[in-house]
Amino acid sequence: MQISLSYGALLGIFSLLSLNKIQRNAKSCIDCGLCNKACPSFIKVDEVKTVISDECSTCMNCVDVCPVKDTLELKSLLPQKRRISKKYVAIGVVSIFMIVTGFAMLTGHWQNNITKEEYLNHYKYMNSYGHPTGVKEFKKLNEEVGSQNEFKGQQK
């Protein structure tokens, strides 16, 4: 659980520190609200000039659904405020992924310590896994994990 929280915090920091932000032209905006509905983070894009939020992942959904051309754009915050093409965003994301993954592989941080048998066992039950959504499900999950830990302790 701590790893996912740390990853989320890292994404939030990168989002806040990014020099590229979604910007809205208030003069051409028709207040249709489509950008708000398209935002997976529920950011009120139609209420701000520049989206500055740790929740914004720059997914560009709001830009894609905007019916008025050049009302929502991804722009650099540098003095020239250049418009950034979605093509360059995609190339940048793929490049960063490949660099980070390649670095992890080269430094030996890509592998885990799960045995092939354990992996195949998880793969077999993959479709039955899910996330608990209520108190009862959390209690059931805690009981299952507790009984698994007891079973592993008895095997040693």
Side-chain angles (χ1 to χ4, degrees):
M1 185 71 167
Q2 189 172 2
I3 291 174
S4 62
L5 291 175
S6 299
Y7 180 67
L10 183 66
L11 288 178
I13 290 169
F14 281 142
S15 177
L16 282 175
L17 297 178
S18 173
L19 295 176
N20 305 315
K21 302 287 183 194
I22 304 283
Q23 295 189 341
R24 181 179 68 90
N25 181 348
K27 292 178 183 174
S28 62
C29 180
I30 60 172
D31 295 319
C32 63
L34 290 174
C35 52
N36 293 344
K37 291 177 184 174
C39 180
S41 298
F42 305 106
I43 298 171
K44 302 289 184 198
V45 180
D46 67 346
E47 295 177 4
V48 296
K49 183 176 174 154
T50 302
V51 177
I52 300 175
S53 171
D54 61 339
E55 297 290 325
C56 181
S57 62
T58 318
C59 68
M60 307 286 283
N61 287 352
C62 58
V63 176
D64 289 339
V65 299
C66 184
V68 181
K69 186 176 182 186
D70 298 333
T71 295
L72 287 175
E73 298 177 306
L74 180 64
K75 289 189 176 180
S76 171
L77 292 181
L78 297 175
Q80 297 170 346
K81 293 193 177 189
R82 291 186 181 172
R83 182 178 180 196
I84 301 168
S85 167
K86 288 195 293 185
K87 177 174 71 173
Y88 294 125
V89 172
I91 291 170
V93 169
V94 170
S95 298
I96 290 170
F97 175 78
M98 291 176 68
I99 289 168
V100 170
T101 303
F103 180 75
M105 289 173 148
L106 289 173
T107 59
H109 292 92
W110 190 251
Q111 299 298 322
N112 59 35
N113 57 359
I114 296 176
T115 65
K116 183 178 179 181
E117 292 77 23
E118 190 176 356
Y119 174 80
L120 291 173
N121 189 39
H122 284 292
Y123 184 79
K124 186 171 29 175
Y125 297 107
M126 179 174 56
N127 291 330
S128 67
Y129 292 153
H131 296 283
T133 57
V135 175
K136 289 180 184 178
E137 290 182 5
F138 272 107
K139 286 181 181 179
K140 181 180 175 186
L141 177 66
N142 287 333
E143 290 170 3
E144 288 174 3
V145 169
S147 65
Q148 286 176 359
N149 288 340
E150 288 174 17
F151 179 71
K152 285 181 181 178
Q154 292 173 356
Q155 286 183 327
K156 289 182 181 181

